[in-house]
Amino acid sequence: MASTMLDIDADLALRTPVVSASFRLTSERHVLDHLVREFQIEGGQCWQKGDAEEGTDVARRAYGWSVTLPPQRTYSVDTAISELLLRLAPERDTIVQLVRMMELDAHVCLEVKLAPGHLPVLHASPATIAAMAAYNAACSVELLEL
């Protein structure tokens, strides 16, 4: 009986959606390499216009900087967004100032890998929405099958 419960738990764990959350700043005019050094936020990286998008042959249309959290198994995207915004919080005022000053585009991006029939809750709390709005960030969600 205990073995059956472990099998069921393992099966449910494998069916739980995998959510990756990232925050991106992009610009068609400004190189953003310096943001990796300025912010020193764990998971920070940058790319150049024309670089291939990760895992594809598609060329990037803009310069960019991003912070990406490790993928996590969760049914709530709000949890992933909240953790991402907490990582950015120490630099929030500086990031918001740069977005305005350099006219950068801000994005909260979610990639959700899911087992068929196991959709996550695509819900964001008012506090999470307000926190994203402070960055004037757009939000996108990409759903993929596991």
Side-chain angles (χ1 to χ4, degrees):
M1 181 71 164
S3 171
T4 304
M5 290 306 290
L6 289 175
D7 291 344
I8 292 170
D9 290 343
D11 184 52
L12 286 174
L14 290 175
R15 292 175 188 248
T16 302
V18 177
V19 178
S20 298
S22 66
F23 178 83
R24 299 175 187 170
L25 295 177
T26 60
S27 174
E28 293 186 21
R29 300 185 314 255
H30 304 289
V31 175
L32 302 176
D33 291 1
H34 64 284
L35 298 183
V36 172
R37 290 181 310 277
E38 272 183 47
F39 295 138
Q40 296 184 0
I41 298 173
E42 185 181 339
Q45 61 183 3
C46 63
W47 63 85
Q48 306 304 315
K49 186 188 289 190
D51 286 353
E53 287 190 36
E54 200 171 304
T56 71
D57 292 332
V58 177
R60 294 188 183 270
R61 298 183 313 218
Y63 300 102
W65 172 82
S66 70
V67 172
T68 302
L69 295 184
Q72 60 179 288
R73 289 197 176 272
T74 180
Y75 275 95
S76 172
V77 297
D78 189 72
T79 302
I81 297 169
S82 296
E83 288 178 18
L84 175 67
L85 295 173
L86 279 172
R87 174 138 337 148
L88 298 172
E91 301 290 348
R92 184 188 68 220
D93 294 341
T94 306
I95 292 170
V96 169
Q97 184 179 13
L98 273 174
V99 167
R100 289 182 183 140
M101 186 174 66
M102 296 175 69
E103 298 177 349
L104 303 176
D105 294 317
H107 315 266
V108 171
C109 303
L110 299 167
E111 180 183 85
V112 183
K113 294 180 181 175
L114 48 103
H118 293 269
L119 295 175
V121 176
L122 296 176
H123 165 80
S125 71
T128 300
I129 292 170
M132 284 191 299
Y135 293 95
N136 197 32
C139 183
S140 64
V141 179
E142 183 177 12
L143 300 175
L144 305 166
E145 283 190 26
L146 279 172

